Structures are given as structure tokens and as C-alpha cells.
Amino acid sequence: RFCGFEATIDGDIPVAAGMSSSSALVVLSALIFLAANRGDLHTSAEGRLELADLLAGAERYVGTQGGGMDQAISLMGRAGHAVKIDFFPLRIQTAPLPSDYTVVVADSTIKAAKSAEALDKYNRRPIECRLAAAILKKIFSERFGREVPISLLGDLKQEKLAVAEAEIWAIADGALHRQPYTLQEIAGVLGQSTEKTAALYCKRRDGSIFPEPAEGFKLHSRYRHVIEEGRRVEQSVLALERGDIPGFADLMNRSHQSCRDLYEISCPELDRLVEIARESGASGARLTGAGFGGCTVNLVANGKVETFIQRVGSSYYRETLGRRERDFGTLIFPCQASGGAAVFDGG
């Protein structure tokens, strides 16, 4: 029972597959609550953006330091379109998906759990990004003799810093060395104690301090991934608007490489699944979600979809994983972009 109503909730997304089913449930609960209480926050585009922002904050109470993309796309999706999502403030931009291609999702079957010790895998990356941003704020402020408004890596923009983009990248790339940092080294750069540094940048949701990794904090590689991935997103929108599908597919492939090598959120099974997907006819393939398991998304020409599914089923599920199902329809399936979640009046 929910808000005095009988409710049945069902779904066919594989469990712990990194396909945002938990965020979808949060969005569903909010829509049921609003409908039951005659709220209207979900009835306008502006209200839906506000709701998405609220729900992203609410979901962080489970302890995962995630963003708000899942909630935003659940509410703001548009049929036949990809959606570019920006933050601070939350806003969206749509780009048409090619009608002669299909997005095929493939489940690696490696569970992308987000609880217990798995939380630290997810939360380490945002912590490293915060530490990198703190160092860059210090370096840029000293360089220009003024406090620069950097709190996130996404603030490294010409319009934000009033500095030419080429100069921003040159300074930032030289400010972070390639070797991992110790917390003591980071504190030294920031001119404060290790205790203060940990309290400011390494705190978990429950108030405990994230421990320093044995190999150190990998600030440069995390910085590079975030900045380069941001550029790929912008380039992807332009490619879709131009109808440059080979260019868009190449960006997907480069994105997976960066997720694997710089952000380190892939795993051997995802890498193998991506490799098989490309061998089986996908123009572009990458992991999706927060990584460490879950699914890949694959861009496949409409005429190749059935052959693609058969080849991936044989090469990955049968040969690599040793599964014996005859039908892999619950593990690999074509998808289409649809409109966002909504309340329908059955009357």
C-alpha cells in the first residue's frame, strides 16, 4: 500500500544491471505521491526539472554520491531523441537519434551493486574529482592573483574563469602530476592539515572519512577523463545534429576507452562484451551507468540487429560465460528512446 492506495510495481530491467532501475523507482514513488496529493510539480517542464533535482538529492541518502542524470532522463526523456543534461543549474538539450539505427543493450551479468563495500568504489571517483578541483582552484588563484570560482572540474570553462580555453588546459594539465597523490601531499599543496583536507573533501554520507587508497589518489587521470568526456558529450550533440553517425559512434568507442583506462570503472567482462559487440557489427559500444559491471549500450544499424544479437549471444554468453540458454532475450535487447515518466488518468 502507498499513500492509501493499492499499488503494484513491476519491471523487466535486469537486477543490479546499472540501468537506473533504482532511480526509476524513486521517480515513480514521487509521481504516485504527487498524484495522490494533487500536486502539480510534475505537470510543467520547469516543475519536472525541479523535481528531478529534488529526487537526485533524496537518492543520495542511501550513501551513493551520484549525480542527477538518471532522475532527469526518467522525467525529461523525449521520444526519438538523446538528451544532453547539464547541471548548476539543471537543464537539458535534445538531439535526434538516427532512425536507421537501434540502441541495443547487453547485460554483462556482472552485478553493479551499490551497497556495502561497493559504495566506496563509486564514491572514490567523486572524492578524487573534488580533490583535483581543490588543487586546481589553489593553482589558478595563485596564478592570477585572485580567487577563481572553481568548486567542480566542470568549472574549468572560459566563461567561468575569464581565461582563454587553451590557457586553462595548459595550466590545469601542468598543475597535476601523473603519479598518484598521498593525502599528505594534497594537504601540503592546499596549505592545510591532512585532517582538515580529509574532513573537507573525503567525507562519506554517514560522516565517516573515506580512507586513503593504498596506491594513492589518482587525480590527474580522473581530471583528464572528466574534462575529455565533457568535450565528447558536446561533440556528440553536434554529431547527432549533423547526422554524422560514424563520428558519434567513434565518440562512444573513445568514451569506453577513457572509462576503462582513466576513470577505471570498467571490468574485464564489460571490456570483452564491448570488444565482441564491435566485432559483431556495432558501430559504437560503451559501458553505461556507473560501471563495475552492469550493461553496455551498442549502436547497431537496423538491418544488422538480429545478426548482432545472435553473434553476441553466441560469443559472449555461450562461449565467454558458458551459459546454455537458447534465448538471450532477457540479457540483450533492442531499445528505443521514449518520453519521460508521466501520470496517466485511467478515467
Side-chain angles (χ1 to χ4, degrees):
R1 297 181 65 85
F2 189 92
C3 297
F5 293 88
E6 293 286 348
T8 299
I9 299 172
D10 192 17
D12 55 7
I13 296 175
V15 176
M19 293 296 291
S20 308
S21 57
S22 58
S23 296
L25 182 59
V26 171
V27 170
L28 171 63
S29 300
L31 292 179
I32 293 173
F33 179 83
L34 288 168
N37 290 277
R38 297 181 174 84
D40 61 359
L41 193 61
H42 60 296
T43 59
S44 67
E46 294 78 9
R48 282 172 160 263
L49 283 173
E50 182 181 352
L51 181 59
D53 215 16
L54 289 170
L55 296 178
E59 195 166 343
R60 294 185 192 117
Y61 281 92
V62 303
T64 303
Q65 297 179 27
M69 287 193 296
D70 296 346
Q71 299 82 4
I73 192 60
S74 290
L75 286 163
M76 305 300 297
R78 181 178 171 187
H81 288 72
V83 178
K84 172 178 170 281
I85 303 170
D86 289 300
F87 297 92
F88 312 112
L90 179 61
R91 58 198 184 279
I92 67 166
Q93 177 185 350
T94 59
L97 289 169
S99 59
D100 50 349
Y101 281 79
T102 297
V103 175
V104 181
V105 173
D107 184 3
S108 71
T109 76
I110 304 303
K111 301 305 181 186
K114 295 182 184 177
S115 58
E117 68 278 1
L119 274 177
D120 277 345
K121 289 185 177 181
Y122 292 95
N123 292 339
R124 174 179 172 175
R125 275 68 183 170
I127 287 170
E128 288 173 317
C129 289
R130 289 201 297 267
L131 290 167
I135 288 180
L136 292 174
K137 177 182 177 70
K138 177 82 170 178
I139 299 297
F140 273 81
S141 296
E142 291 176 348
R143 177 71 173 263
F144 295 107
R146 58 182 172 87
E147 184 172 347
V148 295
I150 298 175
S151 58
L152 303 165
L153 292 177
D155 292 329
L156 295 169
K157 298 178 181 178
Q158 183 171 341
E159 59 268 28
K160 188 88 172 180
L161 305 183
V163 178
E165 188 171 285
E167 188 174 2
I168 290 174
W169 305 136
I171 296 171
D173 203 50
L176 297 170
H177 59 63
R178 271 60 172 173
Q179 297 75 28
Y181 285 73
T182 65
L183 187 62
Q184 183 177 11
E185 181 182 9
I186 295 169
V189 173
L190 298 179
Q192 58 195 24
S193 68
T194 55
E195 291 78 14
K196 182 176 181 179
T197 301
L200 285 174
Y201 305 108
C202 303
K203 191 172 289 186
R204 298 186 180 102
R205 179 71 202 183
D206 63 4
S208 63
I209 300 299
F210 181 89
E212 180 177 341
E215 72 275 26
F217 291 104
K218 300 182 178 183
L219 304 191
H220 187 271
S221 60
R222 307 314 189 218
Y223 148 80
R224 268 194 59 199
H225 171 77
V226 170
I227 296 304
E228 292 174 3
E229 189 78 339
R231 292 173 182 167
R232 281 189 287 269
V233 170
E234 299 293 343
Q235 293 166 356
S236 293
V237 172
L238 295 175
L240 289 174
E241 290 177 341
R242 293 193 303 259
D244 177 11
I245 306 311
F248 177 71
D250 180 61
L251 289 165
M252 290 180 66
N253 295 332
R254 286 159 52 194
S255 176
H256 181 81
Q257 181 179 356
S258 183
C259 287
R260 180 193 67 205
D261 299 337
L262 297 179
Y263 215 52
E264 296 182 288
I265 57 171
S266 190
C267 64
E269 293 84 0
L270 280 172
D271 294 337
R272 180 59 182 146
L273 183 53
V274 164
E275 180 182 29
I276 289 172
R278 294 174 189 161
E279 293 171 351
S280 301
S283 299
R286 71 181 298 275
L287 63 81
T288 188
F292 305 108
C295 296
T296 64
V297 286
N298 310 277
L299 189 67
V300 184
N302 290 346
K304 297 181 179 179
V305 170
E306 290 304 319
T307 300
F308 173 81
I309 291 174
Q310 292 172 6
R311 288 179 177 175
V312 173
S314 176
S315 296
Y316 181 73
Y317 297 110
R318 288 198 181 95
E319 295 177 15
T320 301
L321 299 186
R323 299 180 68 124
R324 294 291 178 261
E325 296 101 318
R326 295 178 61 85
D327 181 10
F328 293 100
T330 61
L331 296 171
I332 181 168
F333 39 89
C335 297
Q336 60 181 6
S338 61
V343 175
F344 294 94
D345 186 350

